[in-house]
Amino acid sequence: MNYNRPYFRLGLTGYPLDHSLSPALHTRALEETGLRGEYRLYPAVPGLTGEGSLGDLIGRLKSGKLHGLNVTIPHKQTVIPMLDSLSPSAQAIGAVNTIYMENGYTVGENTDAGGFWVDLQRHMKPLISSPTEKPPIVMVLGAGGAARAVLYALGQAGWKVILAARRKEQALELAHQFSGTVEGIIPLPFRSQDLHSIEGQRLGMVVNTTPLGMFPDEEFCPWPEGIRLPERTLVYDLVYRPATTRLMQLARSQGLKAFNGLGMLVEQAALAFEIWTGESQSREGMWRALSIGVA
Ligand code: NAP
């Protein structure tokens, strides 16, 4: 334990926070780096004012009572006007999941995009045989906050996306915001004829950013019934509870590779921890905190 270093008061706000895995990840990171500190949950009911509200928590950051805060549903976008500045990626994504202090000012960052991309790299080898090969097209299911981070990460790498969303206006907004990345939009659920827009292109990956299939509604699947996933498609489901979602089951039943979002969760946490403390945390330690080996 290094007693010359500050005591790091870290935490997560959002609502509800009952099943969050973040305290386990960050507590392990503090232990393994030998830093003194704590990571607590700060549930903030939407619309609440006064003590315990989102505004109150930002005030606690500014006064030094808190050193770093993660932000989750439903505050990732509503917190933005309360902050002094945004990182370029948080600005481009339009959502914040990590807040830190710089020279007395609050800065909003988004580590979901980096977390998704780093984890995807681990799984991507079967997708691209040569680094010079043109990347196949990606279908992103859902057009909420996590979809923005995914679109940003894919766009930074030059990948092109077909966006499937149940609300057309939401999809159009994202298509406008990420115009260099989104090549088309289709409804969700879609019919097989809706897939004509990607004919002639290889659908290399399907990324689920909807909560469909998440505990306790594990029986739901965002991929429409009766439509086969295309061959050689990798499936990445941001949902991680249950560890094997219905979408992943479907993919594996067709012999395809499928991964859940636990790796993204670990990576976005490690990136946030590094921003707050300056310490790089071993991913193995974080996986162990979840009692799971590196997937
Ligand atoms: P969000 O902002 O609420 O967006 C969810 C999106 O899914 C919206 O476009 C929503 O449409 C759509 N959707 C919801 N129910 C649907 C349904 N029945 N049919 C079709 N579309 C539906 O939530 P989010 O922050 O993006 O999070 C989405 C999921 O990703 C959650 O399960 C979350 O836990 C997960 N996530 C995982 C990680 C990770 O590290 N692995 C990180 C971030 C998020 P409407 O707007 O019309 O409701």
mmCIF file of all heavy atoms in Angstrom, residues 73 76-77 112 141-147 165-167 170 188-189 208-212 214 236-240 260-262 264-266 268, ligand 1:
data_model
loop_
_atom_site.group_PDB
_atom_site.id
_atom_site.type_symbol
_atom_site.label_atom_id
_atom_site.label_comp_id
_atom_site.label_asym_id
_atom_site.label_seq_id
_atom_site.Cartn_x
_atom_site.Cartn_y
_atom_site.Cartn_z
ATOM 1 N N ILE A 73 -26.708 4.226 -17.754
ATOM 2 C CA ILE A 73 -28.118 4.511 -18.060
ATOM 3 C C ILE A 73 -28.828 5.006 -16.810
ATOM 4 O O ILE A 73 -28.642 4.403 -15.754
ATOM 5 C CB ILE A 73 -28.823 3.227 -18.562
ATOM 6 C CG1 ILE A 73 -28.195 2.773 -19.892
ATOM 7 C CG2 ILE A 73 -30.306 3.428 -18.752
ATOM 8 C CD1 ILE A 73 -28.702 1.404 -20.365
ATOM 9 N N LYS A 76 -26.082 9.008 -19.315
ATOM 10 C CA LYS A 76 -24.906 9.175 -20.174
ATOM 11 C C LYS A 76 -24.986 10.422 -21.058
ATOM 12 O O LYS A 76 -23.964 10.979 -21.433
ATOM 13 C CB LYS A 76 -24.709 7.940 -21.060
ATOM 14 C CG LYS A 76 -24.126 6.749 -20.315
ATOM 15 C CD LYS A 76 -23.861 5.601 -21.277
ATOM 16 C CE LYS A 76 -23.175 4.460 -20.564
ATOM 17 N NZ LYS A 76 -22.884 3.324 -21.454
ATOM 18 N N GLN A 77 -26.195 10.807 -21.429
ATOM 19 C CA GLN A 77 -26.342 12.012 -22.252
ATOM 20 C C GLN A 77 -26.770 13.222 -21.417
ATOM 21 O O GLN A 77 -26.295 14.322 -21.636
ATOM 22 C CB GLN A 77 -27.338 11.751 -23.383
ATOM 23 C CG GLN A 77 -26.692 10.908 -24.488
ATOM 24 C CD GLN A 77 -27.698 10.288 -25.426
ATOM 25 O OE1 GLN A 77 -28.406 9.345 -25.085
ATOM 26 N NE2 GLN A 77 -27.756 10.815 -26.625
ATOM 27 N N ASP A 112 -16.412 3.530 -23.535
ATOM 28 C CA ASP A 112 -17.137 2.398 -24.148
ATOM 29 C C ASP A 112 -16.593 2.105 -25.547
ATOM 30 O O ASP A 112 -16.434 0.943 -25.929
ATOM 31 C CB ASP A 112 -18.639 2.715 -24.266
ATOM 32 C CG ASP A 112 -19.376 2.510 -22.952
ATOM 33 O OD1 ASP A 112 -18.873 1.770 -22.083
ATOM 34 O OD2 ASP A 112 -20.463 3.111 -22.788
ATOM 35 N N LEU A 141 -27.289 -3.616 -34.535
ATOM 36 C CA LEU A 141 -28.696 -3.700 -34.127
ATOM 37 C C LEU A 141 -28.923 -2.754 -32.953
ATOM 38 O O LEU A 141 -28.264 -2.885 -31.915
ATOM 39 C CB LEU A 141 -29.038 -5.133 -33.710
ATOM 40 C CG LEU A 141 -28.617 -6.262 -34.659
ATOM 41 C CD1 LEU A 141 -28.942 -7.625 -34.042
ATOM 42 C CD2 LEU A 141 -29.304 -6.119 -36.008
ATOM 43 N N GLY A 142 -29.834 -1.778 -33.123
ATOM 44 C CA GLY A 142 -30.103 -0.808 -32.055
ATOM 45 C C GLY A 142 -29.408 0.501 -32.351
ATOM 46 O O GLY A 142 -28.366 0.534 -33.034
ATOM 47 N N ALA A 143 -29.995 1.598 -31.867
ATOM 48 C CA ALA A 143 -29.468 2.929 -32.193
ATOM 49 C C ALA A 143 -29.458 3.834 -30.968
ATOM 50 O O ALA A 143 -29.662 5.041 -31.069
ATOM 51 C CB ALA A 143 -30.311 3.546 -33.320
ATOM 52 N N GLY A 144 -29.174 3.248 -29.787
ATOM 53 C CA GLY A 144 -29.127 4.038 -28.552
ATOM 54 C C GLY A 144 -27.710 4.497 -28.230
ATOM 55 O O GLY A 144 -26.869 4.632 -29.120
ATOM 56 N N GLY A 145 -27.450 4.698 -26.923
ATOM 57 C CA GLY A 145 -26.153 5.226 -26.485
ATOM 58 C C GLY A 145 -24.992 4.309 -26.831
ATOM 59 O O GLY A 145 -23.954 4.767 -27.319
ATOM 60 N N ALA A 146 -25.142 3.005 -26.586
ATOM 61 C CA ALA A 146 -24.039 2.083 -26.856
ATOM 62 C C ALA A 146 -23.776 1.987 -28.359
ATOM 63 O O ALA A 146 -22.627 1.856 -28.790
ATOM 64 C CB ALA A 146 -24.359 0.710 -26.285
ATOM 65 N N ALA A 147 -24.838 2.080 -29.166
ATOM 66 C CA ALA A 147 -24.665 2.046 -30.630
ATOM 67 C C ALA A 147 -23.788 3.218 -31.081
ATOM 68 O O ALA A 147 -22.951 3.071 -31.973
ATOM 69 C CB ALA A 147 -26.018 2.096 -31.331
ATOM 70 N N ALA A 165 -32.777 -0.463 -36.690
ATOM 71 C CA ALA A 165 -33.365 0.149 -35.491
ATOM 72 C C ALA A 165 -34.879 0.137 -35.589
ATOM 73 O O ALA A 165 -35.450 0.207 -36.678
ATOM 74 C CB ALA A 165 -32.865 1.584 -35.347
ATOM 75 N N ARG A 166 -35.534 0.082 -34.427
ATOM 76 C CA ARG A 166 -36.997 0.031 -34.461
ATOM 77 C C ARG A 166 -37.610 1.410 -34.665
ATOM 78 O O ARG A 166 -38.739 1.516 -35.105
ATOM 79 C CB ARG A 166 -37.550 -0.632 -33.195
ATOM 80 C CG ARG A 166 -37.402 0.154 -31.917
ATOM 81 C CD ARG A 166 -38.196 -0.537 -30.822
ATOM 82 N NE ARG A 166 -37.828 -0.042 -29.506
ATOM 83 C CZ ARG A 166 -38.310 -0.524 -28.382
ATOM 84 N NH1 ARG A 166 -39.170 -1.532 -28.417
ATOM 85 N NH2 ARG A 166 -37.942 -0.036 -27.237
ATOM 86 N N ARG A 167 -36.871 2.478 -34.336
ATOM 87 C CA ARG A 167 -37.403 3.829 -34.550
ATOM 88 C C ARG A 167 -36.615 4.507 -35.652
ATOM 89 O O ARG A 167 -35.404 4.750 -35.523
ATOM 90 C CB ARG A 167 -37.310 4.652 -33.261
ATOM 91 C CG ARG A 167 -38.435 4.309 -32.293
ATOM 92 C CD ARG A 167 -38.559 5.331 -31.194
ATOM 93 N NE ARG A 167 -37.432 5.361 -30.298
ATOM 94 C CZ ARG A 167 -36.761 6.456 -29.987
ATOM 95 N NH1 ARG A 167 -37.077 7.613 -30.548
ATOM 96 N NH2 ARG A 167 -35.759 6.415 -29.134
ATOM 97 N N GLN A 170 -34.711 7.769 -34.907
ATOM 98 C CA GLN A 170 -33.479 7.579 -34.131
ATOM 99 C C GLN A 170 -32.348 7.104 -35.053
ATOM 100 O O GLN A 170 -31.209 7.574 -34.960
ATOM 101 C CB GLN A 170 -33.744 6.543 -33.034
ATOM 102 C CG GLN A 170 -32.661 6.435 -31.993
ATOM 103 C CD GLN A 170 -32.947 5.312 -30.995
ATOM 104 O OE1 GLN A 170 -33.365 4.222 -31.380
ATOM 105 N NE2 GLN A 170 -32.731 5.586 -29.722
ATOM 106 N N LEU A 188 -36.010 -2.708 -37.506
ATOM 107 C CA LEU A 188 -35.747 -3.827 -36.597
ATOM 108 C C LEU A 188 -37.053 -4.155 -35.887
ATOM 109 O O LEU A 188 -37.607 -3.271 -35.211
ATOM 110 C CB LEU A 188 -34.664 -3.450 -35.586
ATOM 111 C CG LEU A 188 -34.163 -4.575 -34.681
ATOM 112 C CD1 LEU A 188 -33.426 -5.636 -35.481
ATOM 113 C CD2 LEU A 188 -33.240 -4.011 -33.594
ATOM 114 N N PRO A 189 -37.623 -5.347 -35.994
ATOM 115 C CA PRO A 189 -37.105 -6.488 -36.745
ATOM 116 C C PRO A 189 -37.204 -6.250 -38.257
ATOM 117 O O PRO A 189 -38.095 -5.538 -38.715
ATOM 118 C CB PRO A 189 -38.026 -7.635 -36.309
ATOM 119 C CG PRO A 189 -39.281 -6.976 -35.859
ATOM 120 C CD PRO A 189 -38.898 -5.651 -35.304
ATOM 121 N N ASN A 208 -24.897 -6.579 -31.536
ATOM 122 C CA ASN A 208 -26.162 -6.237 -30.878
ATOM 123 C C ASN A 208 -25.921 -5.179 -29.813
ATOM 124 O O ASN A 208 -25.181 -5.401 -28.853
ATOM 125 C CB ASN A 208 -26.792 -7.470 -30.223
ATOM 126 C CG ASN A 208 -28.027 -7.074 -29.425
ATOM 127 O OD1 ASN A 208 -28.819 -6.235 -29.873
ATOM 128 N ND2 ASN A 208 -28.191 -7.648 -28.246
ATOM 129 N N THR A 209 -26.569 -4.020 -29.979
ATOM 130 C CA THR A 209 -26.484 -2.967 -28.957
ATOM 131 C C THR A 209 -27.844 -2.723 -28.313
ATOM 132 O O THR A 209 -28.007 -1.753 -27.584
ATOM 133 C CB THR A 209 -25.951 -1.639 -29.546
ATOM 134 O OG1 THR A 209 -26.987 -1.028 -30.331
ATOM 135 C CG2 THR A 209 -24.710 -1.844 -30.385
ATOM 136 N N THR A 210 -28.827 -3.591 -28.607
ATOM 137 C CA THR A 210 -30.119 -3.489 -27.909
ATOM 138 C C THR A 210 -30.020 -4.306 -26.610
ATOM 139 O O THR A 210 -29.156 -5.180 -26.491
ATOM 140 C CB THR A 210 -31.296 -4.055 -28.742
ATOM 141 O OG1 THR A 210 -31.281 -5.473 -28.654
ATOM 142 C CG2 THR A 210 -31.242 -3.624 -30.194
ATOM 143 N N PRO A 211 -30.907 -4.052 -25.657
ATOM 144 C CA PRO A 211 -30.876 -4.887 -24.444
ATOM 145 C C PRO A 211 -31.607 -6.213 -24.616
ATOM 146 O O PRO A 211 -31.766 -6.958 -23.647
ATOM 147 C CB PRO A 211 -31.575 -3.996 -23.411
ATOM 148 C CG PRO A 211 -32.402 -3.034 -24.173
ATOM 149 C CD PRO A 211 -31.866 -2.937 -25.567
ATOM 150 N N LEU A 212 -32.055 -6.532 -25.827
ATOM 151 C CA LEU A 212 -32.838 -7.761 -26.049
ATOM 152 C C LEU A 212 -32.023 -9.004 -25.702
ATOM 153 O O LEU A 212 -30.919 -9.189 -26.209
ATOM 154 C CB LEU A 212 -33.302 -7.831 -27.507
ATOM 155 C CG LEU A 212 -34.500 -6.949 -27.841
ATOM 156 C CD1 LEU A 212 -34.689 -6.831 -29.345
ATOM 157 C CD2 LEU A 212 -35.762 -7.511 -27.198
ATOM 158 N N MET A 214 -31.269 -9.666 -22.511
ATOM 159 C CA MET A 214 -30.616 -9.415 -21.228
ATOM 160 C C MET A 214 -31.484 -9.924 -20.069
ATOM 161 O O MET A 214 -32.717 -9.822 -20.127
ATOM 162 C CB MET A 214 -30.396 -7.905 -21.091
ATOM 163 C CG MET A 214 -29.584 -7.500 -19.895
ATOM 164 S SD MET A 214 -29.080 -5.775 -20.000
ATOM 165 C CE MET A 214 -30.617 -4.922 -19.735
ATOM 166 N N TYR A 236 -21.196 -10.234 -32.131
ATOM 167 C CA TYR A 236 -20.728 -9.606 -30.890
ATOM 168 C C TYR A 236 -21.949 -9.015 -30.197
ATOM 169 O O TYR A 236 -22.585 -8.097 -30.707
ATOM 170 C CB TYR A 236 -19.709 -8.507 -31.213
ATOM 171 C CG TYR A 236 -18.963 -8.008 -29.988
ATOM 172 C CD1 TYR A 236 -17.654 -8.409 -29.748
ATOM 173 C CD2 TYR A 236 -19.565 -7.154 -29.074
ATOM 174 C CE1 TYR A 236 -16.962 -7.978 -28.624
ATOM 175 C CE2 TYR A 236 -18.887 -6.721 -27.951
ATOM 176 C CZ TYR A 236 -17.587 -7.131 -27.737
ATOM 177 O OH TYR A 236 -16.907 -6.692 -26.617
ATOM 178 N N ASP A 237 -22.271 -9.578 -29.026
ATOM 179 C CA ASP A 237 -23.452 -9.127 -28.286
ATOM 180 C C ASP A 237 -22.975 -8.295 -27.098
ATOM 181 O O ASP A 237 -22.244 -8.800 -26.235
ATOM 182 C CB ASP A 237 -24.242 -10.361 -27.798
ATOM 183 C CG ASP A 237 -25.665 -9.995 -27.396
ATOM 184 O OD1 ASP A 237 -25.905 -8.813 -27.097
ATOM 185 O OD2 ASP A 237 -26.515 -10.901 -27.391
ATOM 186 N N LEU A 238 -23.354 -7.020 -27.038
ATOM 187 C CA LEU A 238 -22.933 -6.176 -25.910
ATOM 188 C C LEU A 238 -23.528 -6.645 -24.592
ATOM 189 O O LEU A 238 -23.024 -6.333 -23.522
ATOM 190 C CB LEU A 238 -23.328 -4.705 -26.156
ATOM 191 C CG LEU A 238 -22.222 -3.813 -26.734
ATOM 192 C CD1 LEU A 238 -21.799 -4.297 -28.111
ATOM 193 C CD2 LEU A 238 -22.674 -2.362 -26.806
ATOM 194 N N VAL A 239 -24.622 -7.416 -24.675
ATOM 195 C CA VAL A 239 -25.219 -7.979 -23.463
ATOM 196 C C VAL A 239 -24.256 -9.039 -22.903
ATOM 197 O O VAL A 239 -23.642 -9.781 -23.657
ATOM 198 C CB VAL A 239 -26.588 -8.619 -23.784
ATOM 199 C CG1 VAL A 239 -27.156 -9.352 -22.579
ATOM 200 C CG2 VAL A 239 -27.564 -7.541 -24.271
ATOM 201 N N TYR A 240 -24.098 -9.069 -21.567
ATOM 202 C CA TYR A 240 -23.200 -10.070 -20.970
ATOM 203 C C TYR A 240 -23.867 -10.846 -19.842
ATOM 204 O O TYR A 240 -23.262 -11.706 -19.225
ATOM 205 C CB TYR A 240 -21.901 -9.427 -20.475
ATOM 206 C CG TYR A 240 -22.111 -8.195 -19.639
ATOM 207 C CD1 TYR A 240 -22.428 -8.286 -18.297
ATOM 208 C CD2 TYR A 240 -22.016 -6.930 -20.227
ATOM 209 C CE1 TYR A 240 -22.633 -7.156 -17.546
ATOM 210 C CE2 TYR A 240 -22.224 -5.790 -19.479
ATOM 211 C CZ TYR A 240 -22.527 -5.908 -18.132
ATOM 212 O OH TYR A 240 -22.741 -4.782 -17.381
ATOM 213 N N ASN A 260 -19.797 -12.328 -26.007
ATOM 214 C CA ASN A 260 -20.644 -11.403 -25.242
ATOM 215 C C ASN A 260 -19.854 -10.133 -24.904
ATOM 216 O O ASN A 260 -18.691 -9.987 -25.279
ATOM 217 C CB ASN A 260 -21.196 -12.093 -23.983
ATOM 218 C CG ASN A 260 -20.112 -12.442 -22.975
ATOM 219 O OD1 ASN A 260 -19.051 -11.818 -22.934
ATOM 220 N ND2 ASN A 260 -20.360 -13.451 -22.168
ATOM 221 N N GLY A 261 -20.506 -9.197 -24.185
ATOM 222 C CA GLY A 261 -19.912 -7.886 -23.926
ATOM 223 C C GLY A 261 -19.076 -7.794 -22.661
ATOM 224 O O GLY A 261 -18.705 -6.688 -22.264
ATOM 225 N N LEU A 262 -18.737 -8.949 -22.042
ATOM 226 C CA LEU A 262 -17.943 -8.864 -20.809
ATOM 227 C C LEU A 262 -16.557 -8.279 -21.066
ATOM 228 O O LEU A 262 -16.047 -7.506 -20.254
ATOM 229 C CB LEU A 262 -17.792 -10.255 -20.185
ATOM 230 C CG LEU A 262 -18.732 -10.624 -19.058
ATOM 231 C CD1 LEU A 262 -18.384 -12.004 -18.507
ATOM 232 C CD2 LEU A 262 -18.708 -9.607 -17.926
ATOM 233 N N MET A 264 -15.740 -6.114 -23.305
ATOM 234 C CA MET A 264 -15.898 -4.661 -23.459
ATOM 235 C C MET A 264 -16.036 -4.001 -22.088
ATOM 236 O O MET A 264 -15.450 -2.948 -21.820
ATOM 237 C CB MET A 264 -17.130 -4.377 -24.323
ATOM 238 C CG MET A 264 -17.494 -2.924 -24.437
ATOM 239 S SD MET A 264 -18.912 -2.727 -25.541
ATOM 240 C CE MET A 264 -19.325 -1.009 -25.279
ATOM 241 N N LEU A 265 -16.809 -4.652 -21.205
ATOM 242 C CA LEU A 265 -17.002 -4.110 -19.852
ATOM 243 C C LEU A 265 -15.660 -4.002 -19.124
ATOM 244 O O LEU A 265 -15.352 -2.976 -18.502
ATOM 245 C CB LEU A 265 -17.954 -5.021 -19.064
ATOM 246 C CG LEU A 265 -18.290 -4.523 -17.674
ATOM 247 C CD1 LEU A 265 -19.401 -3.475 -17.752
ATOM 248 C CD2 LEU A 265 -18.721 -5.664 -16.764
ATOM 249 N N VAL A 266 -14.863 -5.058 -19.222
ATOM 250 C CA VAL A 266 -13.547 -5.065 -18.567
ATOM 251 C C VAL A 266 -12.657 -3.975 -19.166
ATOM 252 O O VAL A 266 -12.013 -3.211 -18.438
ATOM 253 C CB VAL A 266 -12.889 -6.461 -18.725
ATOM 254 C CG1 VAL A 266 -11.411 -6.419 -18.371
ATOM 255 C CG2 VAL A 266 -13.610 -7.485 -17.852
ATOM 256 N N GLN A 268 -13.473 -1.183 -20.875
ATOM 257 C CA GLN A 268 -13.871 0.207 -20.604
ATOM 258 C C GLN A 268 -13.555 0.576 -19.159
ATOM 259 O O GLN A 268 -13.184 1.717 -18.863
ATOM 260 C CB GLN A 268 -15.342 0.473 -20.963
ATOM 261 C CG GLN A 268 -16.411 -0.289 -20.185
ATOM 262 C CD GLN A 268 -16.661 0.229 -18.778
ATOM 263 O OE1 GLN A 268 -16.506 1.416 -18.532
ATOM 264 N NE2 GLN A 268 -17.027 -0.649 -17.871
HETATM 265 P P1 NAP B 1 -30.215 2.607 -24.822
HETATM 266 O O1 NAP B 1 -29.535 3.927 -24.973
HETATM 267 O O2 NAP B 1 -31.507 2.523 -24.088
HETATM 268 O O3 NAP B 1 -30.385 2.007 -26.298
HETATM 269 C C1 NAP B 1 -31.002 0.761 -26.541
HETATM 270 C C2 NAP B 1 -31.388 0.666 -28.014
HETATM 271 O O4 NAP B 1 -32.045 -0.593 -28.207
HETATM 272 C C3 NAP B 1 -32.360 1.749 -28.473
HETATM 273 O O5 NAP B 1 -32.148 2.007 -29.829
HETATM 274 C C4 NAP B 1 -33.702 1.048 -28.244
HETATM 275 O O6 NAP B 1 -34.760 1.579 -29.009
HETATM 276 C C5 NAP B 1 -33.358 -0.342 -28.728
HETATM 277 N N1 NAP B 1 -34.322 -1.332 -28.238
HETATM 278 C C6 NAP B 1 -34.710 -1.533 -26.957
HETATM 279 N N2 NAP B 1 -35.617 -2.515 -26.905
HETATM 280 C C7 NAP B 1 -35.828 -2.921 -28.186
HETATM 281 C C8 NAP B 1 -36.686 -3.876 -28.788
HETATM 282 N N3 NAP B 1 -37.505 -4.632 -28.059
HETATM 283 N N4 NAP B 1 -36.643 -4.018 -30.139
HETATM 284 C C9 NAP B 1 -35.822 -3.262 -30.884
HETATM 285 N N5 NAP B 1 -34.994 -2.321 -30.374
HETATM 286 C C10 NAP B 1 -34.998 -2.159 -29.039
HETATM 287 O O7 NAP B 1 -29.249 1.586 -24.058
HETATM 288 P P2 NAP B 1 -27.648 1.469 -24.249
HETATM 289 O O8 NAP B 1 -26.938 2.290 -23.242
HETATM 290 O O9 NAP B 1 -27.333 1.680 -25.682
HETATM 291 O O10 NAP B 1 -27.413 -0.059 -23.827
HETATM 292 C C11 NAP B 1 -27.904 -1.095 -24.638
HETATM 293 C C12 NAP B 1 -27.384 -2.452 -24.163
HETATM 294 O O11 NAP B 1 -25.966 -2.495 -24.261
HETATM 295 C C13 NAP B 1 -27.727 -2.750 -22.700
HETATM 296 O O12 NAP B 1 -28.049 -4.115 -22.594
HETATM 297 C C14 NAP B 1 -26.420 -2.481 -21.969
HETATM 298 O O13 NAP B 1 -26.279 -3.250 -20.792
HETATM 299 C C15 NAP B 1 -25.407 -2.905 -23.026
HETATM 300 N N6 NAP B 1 -24.116 -2.237 -22.856
HETATM 301 C C16 NAP B 1 -23.045 -3.042 -22.614
HETATM 302 C C17 NAP B 1 -21.793 -2.473 -22.457
HETATM 303 C C18 NAP B 1 -20.613 -3.357 -22.200
HETATM 304 O O14 NAP B 1 -19.590 -2.870 -21.703
HETATM 305 N N7 NAP B 1 -20.686 -4.617 -22.543
HETATM 306 C C19 NAP B 1 -21.625 -1.065 -22.534
HETATM 307 C C20 NAP B 1 -22.752 -0.290 -22.790
HETATM 308 C C21 NAP B 1 -24.012 -0.897 -22.945
HETATM 309 P P3 NAP B 1 -35.740 2.665 -28.325
HETATM 310 O O15 NAP B 1 -34.935 3.918 -28.166
HETATM 311 O O16 NAP B 1 -36.844 2.763 -29.284
HETATM 312 O O17 NAP B 1 -36.151 2.097 -26.983
#
